Amino acid sequence: MTKTAFIAIVGRANVGKSTLLNALLGEKISIISKKPQTTRNRITGILTRGDEQFVFLDTPGMHTPKNKLGTHMVKAVRGAIASVDAAILVAEADHLPGDIEKNLLARLGQAKLPVILALNKTDKSSPERIGEVIGAYSGLCDFASVIPMCALKGKGVDIVLAESAAFMRPEGWFFPEDALTDQPERQIAAEIIREKLLRLLDEELPHGVAVLIEEFRENKDASLFIRAEIFCERESHKGMVIGKGGAVLKKVGSYAREDLEAFFGVKVFVDLWVKVKENWRDNDFMINSFGLDDKGT
């Protein structure tokens, strides 16, 4: 009999939610960066093993919105919570619960969802501190399980997966057995390119950058041609994205091509263009154009 579980991965920004998703799947489908608010939309990761199909929903980091994009991101988290069987709250093993975690737990409690507490980045904490953090969280929620882990190094990820199996329901699968994500190929390509921008650009600039795939074409030799437009909010930012003599843009294209070829398994040609669209983060039409549509929330 086939079984299914839909599980939301939630938490504040930059705690390792996307790293955990990638580790659970054994494949990289969610981009990662040290910069906060890297994930802008709900990302579905699918893992099928035996008769079980796990559907993990990686969500944006909870924060106080400062524009329409931020509001969309918060809605994406709330929408995910409303449509799953359980949740994994990812928090840092060295930090006591703050208002964001308390508010998330309150919302999860209202939804009557079982919650796994995944205390990430244990490599940056001590056993004594981890015990203190577990004690503080235990007073806030009756967790289904509490798992100290390090997603980046793969430690404890197997335990998170094993504990997640407790939420399986006897039900038909929603995705094919070989499915990894429900993201369109264009969206995957756009996110891979944006990840490289996050890596190469200054601290604040990436928040005002978005990527739109204008052409995604398979050539006669089975290679792919991808033309992408990179949008930034100011003319001065455009120069930073391009770099002196086009140096930054060339690096973005080169790094993105490597990941795109690894993901699609064919040779990829990347053509990048940079455009300015002032205040796009407060423009509903532009936000929808980038595939950030709240998923019906």
Side-chain angles (χ1 to χ4, degrees):
M1 178 184 296
T2 57
K3 304 174 186 177
T4 301
F6 281 73
I7 302 170
I9 302 176
V10 301
R12 70 169 63 228
N14 210 29
V15 292
K17 298 183 298 298
S18 296
T19 303
L20 174 59
L21 175 65
N22 293 336
L24 287 165
L25 300 180
E27 296 282 351
K28 181 178 178 179
I29 67 159
S30 193
I31 68 170
I32 55 176
S33 165
K34 292 182 180 179
K35 297 181 173 68
Q37 299 174 30
T38 296
T39 302
R40 288 177 172 170
N41 210 1
R42 195 166 76 189
I43 307 296
T44 302
I46 304 154
L47 175 65
T48 304
R49 61 172 196 179
D51 60 357
E52 298 175 332
Q53 186 170 87
F54 298 83
V55 183
F56 294 105
L57 305 181
D58 182 19
T59 63
M62 278 298 277
H63 64 287
T64 302
K66 297 180 180 179
N67 47 49
K68 288 185 177 179
L69 175 61
T71 300
H72 147 78
M73 292 164 67
V74 171
K75 284 183 178 179
V77 180
R78 293 172 179 171
I81 289 173
S83 61
V84 295
D85 303 304
I88 299 171
L89 174 63
V90 182
E92 293 189 1
D94 198 44
H95 292 105
L96 295 173
D99 289 341
I100 289 177
E101 287 80 15
K102 291 175 183 177
N103 291 337
L104 272 171
L105 286 171
R107 186 170 291 275
L108 292 168
Q110 291 170 2
K112 298 181 180 179
L113 289 177
V115 183
I116 292 174
L117 175 61
L119 288 177
N120 196 25
K121 305 182 183 181
T122 52
D123 56 325
K124 297 182 179 180
S125 190
S126 64
E128 294 76 18
R129 179 60 171 176
I130 294 171
E132 182 183 355
V133 172
I134 290 174
Y137 271 102
S138 297
L140 300 175
C141 176
D142 183 15
F143 292 101
S145 56
V146 178
I147 307 168
M149 56 166 291
C150 181
L152 188 62
K153 297 181 178 180
K155 295 181 178 179
V157 175
D158 56 336
I159 301 175
V160 174
L161 185 59
E163 292 294 323
S164 298
F167 311 126
M168 285 286 166
R169 294 177 284 107
E171 190 171 1
W173 293 342
F174 286 77
F175 300 95
E177 185 174 359
D178 60 350
L180 185 63
T181 181
D182 65 347
Q183 280 189 287
E185 291 180 333
R186 284 173 174 257
Q187 189 66 23
I188 292 171
E191 286 292 271
I192 287 174
I193 293 168
R194 188 168 69 87
E195 181 185 52
K196 309 316 168 191
L197 290 162
L198 286 168
R199 181 197 302 183
L200 293 168
L201 295 176
D202 290 335
E203 198 67 32
E204 292 302 319
L205 185 55
H207 297 302
V209 171
V211 179
L212 181 64
I213 303 300
E214 286 290 350
E215 188 174 358
F216 190 101
R217 183 183 75 237
E218 184 175 349
N219 299 316
K220 291 181 179 180
D221 62 356
S223 64
L224 290 176
F225 174 79
I226 299 173
R227 182 167 69 86
E229 292 184 347
I230 299 168
F231 287 83
C232 50
E233 291 185 305
R234 298 178 187 174
E235 193 66 37
S236 59
H237 292 171
K238 180 178 179 179
M240 297 178 194
V241 173
I242 295 173
K244 186 175 181 181
V248 174
L249 199 60
K250 288 176 183 176
K251 285 184 179 180
V252 171
S254 178
Y255 294 154
R257 187 179 65 252
E258 290 178 7
D259 274 15
L260 288 165
E261 289 181 343
F263 186 87
F264 291 111
V266 297
K267 189 172 183 61
V268 178
F269 298 91
V270 180
D271 186 23
L272 302 179
W273 297 80
V274 185
K275 294 186 175 182
V276 177
K277 183 67 177 179
E278 293 185 3
N279 300 319
W280 71 262
R281 285 181 289 178
D282 274 317
N283 185 314
D284 289 325
F285 175 78
M286 293 299 296
I287 289 173
N288 289 334
S289 296
F290 298 133
L292 307 174
D293 58 6
D294 290 345
K295 301 277 187 176
T297 59

